[in-house]
Amino acid sequence: MIALAYEGDWPITQRFGANPDFYKPFGLAGHEGIDIGCPAGTRVRSVGSLTVVEVGLNTGPYGYYIKARSGTGEDFLWAHLLPYDLPRPGSHRVAGEPMGWTGESGRSTGPHLHFGYRAKWWVRGGSFDGWSDPIPHMG
C-alpha cells in the first residue's frame, strides 16, 4: 500500500487516463498520473521506504520534479514542485518524511501536485509509458 503523498485533504482534479485527446500528441493514451488540487506550498511526503533517484527541472510538462524508487522496484514521481528543499539523488526517505513543496512549475494551469506511479517490473513505452493508476494502491 502506498502512503499518502501529500499533506491535507485535497481533491483529485485529474484522474489517471483522463483527457486522451490532449495527451495523444505526447504519445500517451491519457493522463499518466493523478493531479491533486492543492495550493502552492503544500508539503509533499515520501510514500514509503524510497531512494531518490532523480531530482531536476524538466522544462516541458513536469517543471521541478522528484523521482524515487522502492526496494521492490516501484517508481514514484512528484511534479510541478517549488525549487527549494528538494532531496538529493541517492538520499533515502521513509514513509511520511518530507520530499518538497507543491508549486506550479512546468506545464501547469495552476498550483497542484502531479503524482505518478510505476509498478515494479514496468516496461517503458506503451500507451502510458509504464505508468499505472496509483489510486488503487494508496492507503
Side-chain angles (χ1 to χ4, degrees):
M1 216 31 126
I2 301 172
L4 199 57
Y6 53 93
E7 288 182 350
D9 186 19
W10 306 105
I12 294 173
T13 56
Q14 186 170 205
R15 294 194 173 274
F16 183 84
N19 300 311
D21 290 338
F22 178 83
Y23 291 96
K24 188 174 185 174
F26 306 107
L28 298 170
H31 189 237
E32 80 284 20
I34 59 173
D35 286 347
I36 311 300
C38 50
T42 300
R43 175 64 87 178
V44 297
R45 301 204 170 271
S46 176
V47 295
S49 181
L50 305 175
T51 299
V52 176
V53 294
E54 191 175 330
V55 177
L57 171 60
N58 174 296
T59 57
Y62 292 145
Y64 288 97
Y65 68 92
I66 300 165
K67 290 183 182 178
R69 182 167 291 145
S70 74
T72 59
E74 297 166 303
D75 285 344
F76 301 92
L77 168 74
W78 295 257
H80 306 300
L81 304 175
L82 294 173
Y84 53 86
D85 284 344
L86 298 173
R88 289 196 161 104
S91 63
H92 299 280
R93 295 289 190 272
V94 297
E97 276 193 278
M99 295 288 275
W101 305 91
T102 59
E104 56 182 307
S105 59
R107 192 175 303 129
S108 173
T109 58
H112 72 283
L113 170 66
H114 174 91
F115 181 68
Y117 168 73
R118 280 184 169 141
K120 60 183 175 181
W121 315 121
W122 59 272
V123 176
R124 189 161 198 120
S127 58
F128 290 100
D129 198 23
W131 296 103
S132 300
D133 186 355
I135 293 174
H137 307 280
M138 295 176 82

